[in-house]
Amino acid sequence: MSETLILTRRWGTKDSATLASYKSAGGYGALEKGLALPPSAIVDEVKASNLRGRGGAGFATGLKWTFLPKDVRPRYLTVNADESEPGTFKDRYIIEHEPHMLIEGIALTCWANDIHTAYVYIRGEFARQARILEAALAEAYQAGILGPKVLGKDFALDIHVHRGAGAYICGEESALLESLEGKKGYPRLKPPFPAVVGLYGKPTIINNVETIANIPWIVEHGGAAFAALGVGKSGGTRLFCVSGHVNQPGVYEKPVHYNLKKLIMEDCGGIVGGRKVKAVIPGGSSSPVLTADEIDVSCEFDALKAAGTMAGSGGVIVMDDSTCMVRALSRISKFYAEESCGQCTPCREGTPWMEALVHKIEHGHGQPGDVDKLAQMANNIGGQTICALGDAAAMPVQSFVKKFRAEFERHITERRCPFGDHAWGKTQ
Ligand code: L3W
Ligand code: SF4
């Protein structure tokens, strides 16, 4: 039986980003169908679909929509296209190949939730994707799909594209809202959650690009059909972004509960040069690392949680047995130290400390006791900060040290990197 493809079916089709191409494949049929339904019916279908957020946290989409207070207007929709999690590269392709699918998803979401203004906050570096999306929006306005009367219905909708300026933290939902309001991208304390107090102090739904792009299919085929593609509380397919030491890296659309080992060894053609897997980060760099003997696991949100990690944003980073895990962590820690917004002390001070200590160990300057010190630093950041970046920086450190402790200790006792690349004395 062939696998159902929702998002990637037309990737690579000539001119797939144009309105004509999208409509010729049945595009905007779901919007016509949806506009004939009461908004609550769409919310019910999305709840029944078991669609969970594809941006990182896997929160139930339909449930999030029901958090909007009943009597406060206006309400806003903000689509998070600030895709920046290391190892994650899917939303940019949705926008590139299927911008109208995203627009149709936005329109349905807005109809379902009585929203008349939506923003797409797109990562600043995605200049090409922003242009493609803007061109698609212009076509949609021209065709009467957006504007004062969506498809002739007494329902007004405007969609604005807002380009970020290259800060990872603006992908955190409340920092994104601050940035959209023209302020510095500092995360807000939660609660209140954006669904209650969001953009300009008004109730705001924030969903990831991939999440919203699934809505037309759900409206067209029904929530139950989407749920049936997945398992348990997680419906549908999802985009896995596979990078690292695999023969065929790329974006793979698979059922949400696809087996991680199968994805790597079969779909991605196994490891380059026939080497062995050493470690896999399954859900973007924030998610705890798995060892080679832990990867025969379902990628479903709750299954990966039970395995001690996260499905996150679907960024699968594969490392072979030539990888120095201290060096890999050093690179990850540098990223979080640079991207910390500096608002709260444990993260502002702790992330550069961790980076410096991992770097020291990596280069053979570590002292006995440093590995414990590193773990202690991470334990003092996790759960102590305003936003999830603190946890995101701490979790890789905790998991790398726990699972590859011997490798960290070897760097200290041998006073060099055992993998030879940058051994003590060579690069100092
Ligand atoms: C109303 C409640 N709303 C929760 C909403 C909340 C948010 C969603 C999930 O972090 C993770 C992080 C990264 N009333 C609510 C409520 N909500 N309770 O539900 O919330 P939360 O706090 O669980 O997560 P978060 O703060 O959104 C996201 C991880 O994702 N990550 C991803 C990064 C991804 C990118 C990218 O490139 N796409 O940057 C990767 O692992 O570490 O754990 O909307 O408002 N009672
Ligand atoms: Fe800023 Fe880090 Fe605090 Fe988040 S945890 S608010 S990124 S300092």
Side-chain angles (χ1 to χ4, degrees), residues 16-17 91-99 128-129 132-133:
S16 67
D91 297 334
R92 70 195 74 179
Y93 290 118
I94 294 176
I95 294 170
E96 229 174 281
H97 295 287
E98 289 283 21
R128 180 175 141 76
Q129 288 79 3
I132 291 171
L133 184 56

Side-chain angles (χ1 to χ4, degrees), residues 54-60 63-64 67-68 80-92 123 168 170-174 190-196 204-208 283-288 310-314 336 386-389 391-393 395:
R54 304 296 196 239
F59 200 84
L63 178 64
K64 190 191 271 192
F67 290 145
L68 291 170
N80 190 342
D82 195 51
E83 182 169 66
S84 315
E85 176 80 0
T88 312
F89 45 89
K90 59 186 180 68
D91 297 334
R92 70 195 74 179
R123 178 175 166 169
Y168 170 72
C170 289
E172 193 284 330
E173 59 179 10
S174 62
K190 293 187 269 185
F193 289 94
V196 180
T204 303
I205 291 174
I206 306 180
N207 284 138
N208 170 263
S285 62
S286 312
S287 58
M310 288 160 59
S313 50
Y336 289 111
I386 293 173
C387 87
L389 190 142
D391 299 322
M395 285 188 295

Side-chain angles (χ1 to χ4, degrees), residues 227-242:
L229 297 173
V231 70
K233 289 188 208 142
S234 305
T237 62
R238 79 172 300 182
L239 302 184
F240 294 98
C241 322
V242 191

Side-chain angles (χ1 to χ4, degrees), residues 233-364:
K233 289 188 208 142
S234 305
T237 62
R238 79 172 300 182
L239 302 184
F240 294 98
C241 322
V242 191
S243 64
H245 297 136
V246 288
N247 281 311
Q248 288 152 35
V251 179
Y252 292 82
E253 180 172 8
K254 295 285 169 194
V256 74
H257 57 300
Y258 204 67
N259 181 279
L260 181 60
K261 188 172 184 179
K262 188 165 187 259
L263 177 69
I264 295 167
M265 300 312 292
E266 295 179 24
D267 298 279
C268 296
I271 307 301
V272 177
R275 298 189 74 108
K276 291 198 169 79
V277 175
K278 181 171 186 177
V280 177
I281 293 174
S285 62
S286 312
S287 58
V289 68
L290 296 171
T291 59
D293 50 11
E294 292 173 325
I295 64 169
D296 193 2
V297 64
S298 155
C299 286
E300 190 271 328
F301 294 96
D302 298 325
L304 280 179
K305 191 171 173 199
T309 184
M310 288 160 59
S313 50
V316 177
I317 304 171
V318 182
M319 291 172 266
D320 75 11
D321 57 3
S322 70
T323 310
C324 169
M325 297 308 287
V326 182
R327 188 168 199 191
L329 180 63
S330 176
R331 190 63 196 85
I332 292 172
S333 298
K334 183 176 166 63
F335 174 80
Y336 289 111
E338 279 188 12
E339 297 297 339
S340 167
C341 82
Q343 198 180 186
C344 43
T345 310
C347 175
R348 181 186 63 241
E349 303 298 327
T351 51
W353 279 358
M354 289 197 299
E355 182 204 351
L357 190 51
V358 179
H359 185 266
K360 202 173 123 188
I361 297 171
E362 178 198 352
H363 289 276

